[in-house]
Amino acid sequence: MRFEDSSFSKSLSYDKVILDFGSYYLFDDFFIMEVNEGIHFNWDKLNILLDSLRTYYGNHKTLAYIANRVNSYSIDPVLWSYFDKDDSILIAASIVSYRDSTYINANIEKQMASIPIKRALSLEEAINWVLQLKEFN
């Protein structure tokens, strides 16, 4: 389910940013990304996203990330290693899977990451998990 079609879009305050490769929704302590169909999410796109996030939040904010995988696209799983080297803006992530193949890919990504990654089967599950993170409470 796309974020804007969910009940959360009516109950939570957010800002929306549209990039060439997808849209994301900004909240106080997390953001939701929906990558466009057929995109290959690589280093260049990650850097564009991170620059945009730092412009919005500043250089010292920590966030959780929800990948709402409503579209079929590819991602370089090695990108998760970036957050080992960065003074990391991301402290946790949740990958929402709507297909078996996406869930399997999320397992691989989870192995590549040093930050906690929650595999979720719904946007509601992912948002509730993020809202319960001890770093934000």
Side-chain angles (χ1 to χ4, degrees):
M1 170 182 295
R2 293 188 184 286
F3 170 72
E4 290 182 312
D5 295 334
S6 75
S7 62
F8 291 105
S9 71
K10 294 162 189 63
S11 64
L12 297 175
S13 177
Y14 66 92
D15 290 320
K16 179 180 180 179
V17 176
I18 300 172
L19 300 171
D20 290 342
F21 52 86
S23 300
Y24 65 97
Y25 307 91
L26 302 158
F27 305 87
D28 288 341
D29 293 320
F30 68 98
F31 70 100
I32 299 171
M33 181 81 192
E34 294 176 350
V35 175
N36 294 339
E37 184 78 24
I39 293 293
H40 177 64
F41 197 83
N42 57 19
W43 287 105
D44 293 337
K45 290 174 181 65
L46 175 62
N47 285 321
I48 291 168
L49 174 63
L50 291 174
D51 287 346
S52 180
L53 290 170
R54 287 188 178 108
T55 298
Y56 185 84
Y57 289 107
N59 289 325
H60 302 291
K61 178 73 173 171
T62 54
L63 300 167
Y65 162 52
I66 297 175
N68 191 28
R69 297 206 173 152
V70 292
N71 294 315
S72 180
Y73 64 92
S74 62
I75 183 170
D76 183 351
V78 175
L79 293 179
W80 289 105
S81 67
Y82 177 86
F83 300 103
D84 290 340
K85 299 175 186 96
D86 189 33
D87 58 339
S88 198
I89 192 169
L90 292 187
I91 59 164
S94 182
I95 300 171
V96 183
S97 303
Y98 298 96
R99 294 174 289 285
D100 289 342
S101 60
T102 308
Y103 194 84
I104 292 167
N105 288 343
N107 286 332
I108 295 167
E109 292 173 58
K110 184 175 173 68
Q111 299 304 311
M112 304 290 284
S114 64
I115 62 172
I117 293 185
K118 162 84 170 154
R119 291 157 303 180
L121 298 175
S122 70
L123 190 54
E124 178 180 9
E125 180 183 0
I127 291 172
N128 288 333
W129 180 75
V130 164
L131 293 175
Q132 298 303 313
L133 289 171
K134 68 179 181 208
E135 290 85 352
F136 302 136
N137 292 305

